[in-house]
Amino acid sequence: MSNSKPNLRTDYRERIVPELMKHFGYKSIMQVPRLSKIVVNQGIGIATGDKKLIDVAINELTAITGQKAVATYSKKDISNFKLRKKMPIGVMVTLREDKMYEFLERLIRIVLPRIRDFKGINSKLDGRGNYTLGIEEQIIFPEINIDSISKIMGMNITFVTSAATDEEGYELLKAFGLPFKNSAK
């Protein structure tokens, strides 16, 4: 990897900020929403029976994001799910700064186009300008070797923005190039 800044970061500064300032009529650059972090989260409920799945998931998520993944643990006992407190039940990675932009660029340019019959992603944000994208199988990432897959697992990718409203968050993510389905907005 070179020392250059990720393309999307430069694109954000040079194209997206002025675009959003004009669109929403902001007076200051500081009002423009920005992407603060991307959280990639994989819940592995069946890991209660098979501890090796957590290690496999940590390695896969580390390969996909380029940053070490950590295990997440249960907070309490739930007997119906054979779950004890502090059992590993998933893995997650929080990406910020350059790693975040590199991951977003790979996601938009390489990963999403690899999904079969892809028609765009849903445009439902959470009410505070954040967006979570659910991916059903980890094999759409080129970093994953299909032959070494033991189990198909999905993941959630949450884009956390500094936007105050869904509309601002939506416009920001759309400007980055997330392929939203043609929404009625």
Side-chain angles (χ1 to χ4, degrees):
M1 255 184 237
S2 63
N3 266 350
S4 66
K5 295 253 181 270
N7 295 340
L8 277 179
R9 172 174 263 178
T10 315
D11 190 39
Y12 172 72
R13 249 192 247 111
E14 292 170 3
R15 179 184 65 85
I16 297 173
V17 168
E19 225 173 71
L20 290 177
M21 281 186 78
K22 201 168 92 189
H23 185 282
F24 289 107
Y26 296 129
K27 302 272 184 282
S28 160
I29 289 181
M30 298 308 286
Q31 291 175 290
V32 178
R34 58 186 189 281
L35 197 56
S36 44
K37 63 185 175 182
I38 295 177
V39 181
V40 184
N41 178 16
Q42 208 169 26
I44 308 164
I46 50 172
T48 54
D50 187 358
K51 295 282 182 276
K52 287 196 297 291
L53 279 175
I54 290 289
D55 299 332
V56 170
I58 285 177
N59 293 336
E60 283 180 359
L61 216 53
T62 301
I64 288 171
T65 59
Q67 184 171 312
K68 183 89 172 98
V70 295
T72 54
Y73 298 94
S74 58
K75 291 184 171 82
K76 58 185 179 186
D77 297 350
I78 303 173
S79 61
N80 290 354
F81 301 133
K82 294 187 174 70
L83 191 62
R84 296 281 160 260
K85 194 173 182 176
K86 294 198 171 79
M87 273 177 109
I89 52 169
V91 291
M92 67 169 281
V93 175
T94 302
L95 302 168
R96 297 174 198 273
E97 301 297 323
D98 288 355
K99 282 207 166 107
M100 169 184 76
Y101 285 109
E102 281 162 17
F103 177 75
L104 180 61
E105 195 160 344
R106 279 201 328 267
L107 185 73
I108 293 168
R109 301 227 166 98
I110 299 166
V111 176
L112 292 177
R114 288 176 64 148
I115 298 176
R116 204 178 312 126
D117 300 332
F118 186 65
K119 295 187 175 52
I121 57 181
N122 289 329
S123 53
K124 184 89 181 79
L125 280 77
D126 71 348
R128 290 189 211 89
N130 304 320
Y131 179 70
T132 300
L133 167 66
I135 289 186
E136 279 152 31
E137 36 193 48
Q138 81 276 41
I139 55 176
I140 62 170
F141 287 93
E143 295 86 355
I144 299 293
N145 179 358
I146 294 180
D147 303 329
S148 66
I149 291 296
S150 57
K151 182 141 188 49
I152 298 274
M153 293 186 280
M155 64 186 73
N156 286 334
I157 302 173
T158 304
F159 303 93
V160 181
T161 69
S162 65
T165 65
D166 277 356
E167 190 193 354
E168 292 171 335
Y170 173 79
E171 290 298 330
L172 172 69
L173 293 171
K174 199 171 86 179
F176 271 123
L178 276 180
F180 288 107
K181 287 179 183 151
N182 294 345
S183 59
K185 283 182 188 170

